[in-house]
Amino acid sequence: MRVFVTGASGWIGSAVVPELIGAGHQVTGLARSAASAAALTAAGAQVHHGSLDDLDGLRDAAAASDGVIHLAFKHDIAFSGGFQDAAEADRRAVETFGEALAGSGRPLIIASGTLGLALGRVATERDGHGPDAPAGAHGEGPRARWATAELTLSLASRGIRSSIVRLPPTNHGDGDNGFMATLVGIARDKGVSGYIGDGANRWPAVHRLDSAHLFRLAVDNAPAGSTLHAVADEGVPIRDVAGVIGRHLNVPVVSISAADAGEHFTWMAGFIGADSPASSTLTRELLGWQPTQPGLLEDLDKGHYFDQSSA
């Protein structure tokens, strides 16, 4: 199968590409820079030069493929005040893929998220659908991203084998610069490893190699309109995460009050206190996906998040 992948040189995409190639697929990756193009070539993929704003280019690349995995998102502007603009660009890209693939029966898989789906209880693949956005989708940008995921699922009615893969807030692994690396950096800077309140709130997690494997299974076999959860750990208490970080950095593990969370955790304050566990039982039953990589706490304990040279 010839698979077009956006975000192919990113944290998840750079694991998805070798997963696909290893399964015998041909991959063309979207690259907006020379460095991204070089990384894709080194991985054995072909390169499509362009960006999410080049809708004609996206349409042509999708039409020439046997399936699309859409992982790209404008994170650079999303977390610097432009989340709505990033979400709108994402929707335009999905609409373009829908136009190119309509009536073909070919797969279109996009990345979505589990955070905030069902606050305070374990979310399943059945949650987060219907006319109203989940309670955790605060603000126009997050609501727009949810709506784009729902749009993707609706494309099944247009003859597209569409599905969404919901990712936990942490897709951990060696080289991760996301939430876990940020928590380590905050603990190092503040001299304490913190959690909010009693720290019992839970985050789901998955190793990025396991999530990459699920994307490959989805492009191969996911039925049209499938919602999939790339969840290995259903819910890891943030207090336990703080404990591992504190032990490795040799700093105290402390509770941060909700009133002080904004100052301590900065932009992460709105996320780190969420109790948002999630299940992948239905996904495992549907596609036979079985995570094999280390869980979050085990991966943290390996020490690579605390390598000062990469901090």
Side-chain angles (χ1 to χ4, degrees), residues 122-150:
V122 177
T124 77
E125 294 87 341
R126 296 191 178 101
D127 286 307
H129 304 300
D132 299 319
H138 298 299
E140 290 301 314
R143 281 195 290 270
R145 286 211 80 183
W146 165 81
T148 297
E150 293 299 287

Side-chain angles (χ1 to χ4, degrees), residues 218-243:
V219 83
D220 284 347
N221 298 313
S226 299
T227 297
L228 307 170
H229 279 191
V231 172
D233 293 318
E234 280 196 1
V236 181
I238 296 300
R239 181 179 58 236
D240 294 350
V241 172

Side-chain angles (χ1 to χ4, degrees), residues 74-287:
K74 293 185 175 183
H75 291 98
D76 51 345
I77 68 171
F79 292 107
S80 59
F83 202 110
Q84 180 65 21
D85 290 339
E88 290 174 356
D90 184 52
R91 184 179 182 88
R92 288 192 295 269
V94 169
E95 290 173 340
T96 298
F97 293 140
E99 294 168 4
L101 298 176
S104 69
R106 287 176 282 176
L108 168 63
I109 296 95
I110 78 161
S112 184
T114 66
L115 191 63
L117 274 177
L119 295 174
R121 65 173 177 84
V122 177
T124 77
E125 294 87 341
R126 296 191 178 101
D127 286 307
H129 304 300
D132 299 319
H138 298 299
E140 290 301 314
R143 281 195 290 270
R145 286 211 80 183
W146 165 81
T148 297
E150 293 299 287
L151 167 66
T152 301
L153 294 179
S154 75
L155 293 175
S157 67
R158 296 179 58 191
I160 299 173
R161 188 159 60 82
S162 60
S163 58
I164 62 173
V165 175
R166 288 173 174 164
L167 299 169
T170 178
N171 277 242
H172 54 88
D174 195 355
D176 175 23
N177 289 313
F179 282 130
M180 290 301 113
T182 299
L183 283 178
V184 171
I186 291 172
R188 183 177 277 121
D189 291 343
K190 299 288 187 178
V192 297
S193 181
Y195 53 84
I196 297 177
D198 64 6
N201 62 292
R202 299 153 293 173
W203 270 20
V206 68
H207 195 284
R208 74 165 185 143
L209 297 181
D210 284 325
S211 58
H213 183 54
L214 181 56
F215 276 103
R216 199 266 292 171
L217 293 177
V219 83
D220 284 347
N221 298 313
S226 299
T227 297
L228 307 170
H229 279 191
V231 172
D233 293 318
E234 280 196 1
V236 181
I238 296 300
R239 181 179 58 236
D240 294 350
V241 172
V244 176
I245 293 173
R247 176 158 46 80
H248 277 267
L249 295 180
N250 195 28
V251 298
V253 179
V254 302
S255 171
I256 306 297
S257 70
D260 294 332
E263 179 181 354
H264 185 89
F265 292 106
T266 64
W267 64 268
M268 273 197 68
F271 303 99
I272 195 62
D275 184 35
S276 191
S279 165
S280 60
T281 299
L282 299 178
T283 298
R284 298 183 195 215
E285 292 174 351
L286 181 66
L287 294 181

